[in-house]
Amino acid sequence: MATTKSFFKFLLFFSQYLLKRLRNPHLFHVKTNAHTPTSQLQNCPPLLPLHLLSNQTLLFHVEDSLLRSSSPFPYFMLVAFEAGGLLRALLLLLLHPLLCCVGEEMALKVMVMVSFCGVREEGFRVGRAVLPKFFLEDVGLEGFEVLVRAGRRVGVSELPRVMVEGFLKEYLEVEAVVGRELKVVGGFYVGLMEEKKVGLAVEELLGDGMLGGGGVVGFGSCNRCLDQHPFSLCKEIYLVTEADRRSYHSLLGHRYPKPLIFHDGRLAFRPTPLATLAMFMWVPFGLFLAIFRALVWLLLSPKVAIPILSFSGMRLRIKRPSTSPIPNKQDPKNILYVCNHRTLLDPVYLSAIVDRPLTAVTYSLSRLSEILAPIKTVRLTREREEDKKSMEKLLSQGDLAVCPEGTTCREPFLLRFSPLFAELNKDIVPVALDAHVSMFYGTTAGGLKCLDPVFFLMNPFPAYDVELLEKVAEECLCGGVGGKSRYEVANHVQEEIGRALGFECTTLTRRDKYLILAGNEGIVPTDHKTKRK
């Protein structure tokens, strides 16, 4: 009896301790070292004088000076989910209570083991394709202003280098990154980190002179940098407190040194422990809901399906010009709808609005998506003359929808429009589309494309904005009164859609996107030989 009572006392004590740690928002915040002089911590200046940095090398701690959040858990969850799959992410979530009860270094080792063990080194692209978006959203404006004023920048991180290097070098223009190295056996990560050699790596960088002349200034946290060897190389160290970082303002997208145009991954939210738990609770119901929504659209007419889908949480906002470009069903005149590309469902939503037979041409679509598509789809070959003849034939049979970007883009940017559609010299109606999701992205560059519609339909409240613009004037058509070239027509349509959506027009192409995100040109093999235009 006494043993049972003691056991319950211990269980009560442990549960109270665990709840206390779970309620603490700074789960992996390092406690102040007992040997650090109190006077040094009390006099930590909030930020260093920016005008003195132009000819200096700034040695900064990424997590403790630049980012606003204190927990690395969301970043490891992204690695676990995107590189390892659903079960690995679930295991990391289940281990979260244990991570709250151990020290920072042990928690870091456990997360590295769960997230990286068995992941192929060569195919690991999460650090470049997925994590930069979430890191950039976590950057504090005050810390960023310090960073951009420095002549040269060296980032020091406790996280594995493969997680932070792409974000720092490609988007914040940091010259050198020093992080933890992961052990690799047979081309696979084994989930273990090499021994800390941060100080030695920084010494080599400074000793080789690759960062130029000038002094070295440190920038980090009061609780960490005073104990770290690399910062002993600095002539001055400027420190921020935890309270300072919590008061950082968000860095807005227009302030990024390099705009974030492309990113990959399925998760559209920051996977904190509570948000990830909510996702796992939603997934079974969300999968059922996606199947239900798909069946409603496939089996029922649009007039019946749209109200039912609206009741299920899907939203569709339509905007038409004062002079409607949509002919009635008896009008034999066929229209070429030119759309920007957000998801595979773009032409499906358009077909529901025009309420006329509609064919969509695609550059690459999985066979499963072609089979399940509720409208007719035709795959192009990327042979310009052959594709032109195919589109002319389809236009003679009915309305045609084309997405000349050739691939989807999630951010408010438009990729270069292929001018092939302009050569058809038909009635052109630009269509501006935008999709909104809260949990899963319905597009991917490196994953299974056949699941794109499923992930989009799994969102609790997926929304689409569709705006039909005025028909392109005859003098603006290729070979019209104005004598426009096909490139000028394509650029004109791109600008009209960009203006309607408030998106920025770019000259980037499908090839650029896939080279950045997937390391290939994004060509889906077909039964016959194809090549790029």
Side-chain angles (χ1 to χ4, degrees), residues 73 76-82 84-95 114-115 267 276 279-280:
F73 179 87
F76 283 101
M77 177 55 70
L78 286 166
V79 174
F81 185 89
E82 305 294 353
L86 201 63
L87 292 179
R88 191 188 294 258
L90 179 60
L91 175 60
L92 182 60
L93 178 64
L94 294 176
L95 289 175
V114 174
S115 302
L267 298 185
T276 307
M279 179 201 72
F280 276 104

Side-chain angles (χ1 to χ4, degrees), residues 76-351:
F76 283 101
M77 177 55 70
L78 286 166
V79 174
F81 185 89
E82 305 294 353
L86 201 63
L87 292 179
R88 191 188 294 258
L90 179 60
L91 175 60
L92 182 60
L93 178 64
L94 294 176
L95 289 175
H96 179 257
L98 174 64
L99 302 178
C100 300
C101 302
V102 299
E104 180 188 26
E105 182 68 15
M106 179 57 69
L108 183 64
K109 290 180 178 179
V110 172
M111 289 189 290
V112 168
M113 173 61 71
V114 174
S115 302
F116 282 93
C117 184
V119 174
R120 185 183 293 274
E121 180 190 22
E122 184 180 354
F124 182 79
R125 305 192 64 85
V126 175
R128 288 192 59 195
V130 180
L131 292 179
K133 171 185 181 292
F134 295 91
F135 275 122
L136 285 169
E137 291 174 350
D138 197 24
V139 171
L141 175 61
E142 290 78 2
F144 171 76
E145 288 179 342
V146 174
L147 194 67
V148 296
R149 297 295 182 91
R152 295 159 298 279
R153 294 158 290 270
V154 179
V156 177
S157 176
E158 296 296 312
L159 302 179
R161 181 180 53 82
V162 294
M163 291 177 62
V164 298
E165 187 173 43
F167 148 66
L168 292 172
K169 285 190 173 182
E170 295 183 22
Y171 292 95
L172 295 187
E173 300 176 346
V174 173
E175 283 77 8
V177 179
V178 179
R180 309 287 289 274
E181 298 295 334
L182 297 178
K183 294 183 179 181
V184 179
V185 175
F188 292 85
Y189 293 115
V190 295
L192 299 175
M193 293 185 290
E194 302 284 356
E195 292 298 321
K196 281 189 178 183
K197 297 179 181 179
V198 176
L200 181 60
V202 173
E203 284 182 350
E204 290 177 353
L205 287 174
L206 300 178
D208 292 342
M210 65 176 295
L211 298 176
V216 180
V217 176
F219 182 39
S221 166
C222 293
N223 293 325
R224 193 194 301 264
C225 290
L226 293 176
D227 299 328
Q228 288 199 342
H229 169 61
F231 290 88
S232 65
L233 305 173
C234 304
K235 64 178 183 180
E236 292 180 276
I237 304 177
Y238 292 87
L239 306 173
V240 294
T241 64
E242 187 73 18
D244 292 330
R245 288 199 300 120
R246 288 201 301 268
S247 64
Y248 277 179
H249 295 84
S250 298
L251 178 65
L252 300 181
H254 70 275
R255 295 290 304 273
Y256 295 170
K258 176 184 175 181
L260 178 72
I261 300 177
F262 301 125
H263 58 87
D264 204 12
R266 291 295 189 185
L267 298 185
F269 63 96
R270 183 178 178 82
T272 60
L274 288 179
T276 307
L277 177 62
M279 179 201 72
F280 276 104
M281 295 174 65
W282 171 261
V283 163
F285 179 73
L287 184 59
F288 168 80
L289 189 61
I291 296 173
F292 170 77
R293 288 166 170 171
L295 290 176
V296 167
W297 191 264
L298 291 171
L299 300 179
L300 301 177
S301 66
K303 290 183 178 180
V304 178
I306 289 177
I308 297 176
L309 294 176
S310 298
F311 182 76
S312 75
M314 299 186 71
R315 299 290 181 264
L316 174 61
R317 290 181 285 270
I318 305 171
K319 187 176 179 181
R320 306 172 187 266
S322 55
T323 305
S324 177
I326 304 177
N328 56 48
K329 291 185 177 182
Q330 288 72 35
D331 195 333
K333 197 172 186 180
N334 298 327
I335 290 181
L336 174 62
Y337 294 99
V338 179
C339 317
N340 65 304
H341 204 4
R342 304 303 275 180
T343 77
L344 292 179
L345 299 179
D346 294 338
V348 177
Y349 275 91
L350 179 61
S351 69

Side-chain angles (χ1 to χ4, degrees), residues 27-43:
L27 297 178
F28 303 104
H29 178 68
V30 182
K31 293 184 179 179
T32 303
N33 192 305
H35 300 289
T36 303
T38 307
S39 59
Q40 284 185 277
L41 297 179
Q42 291 176 343
N43 297 323

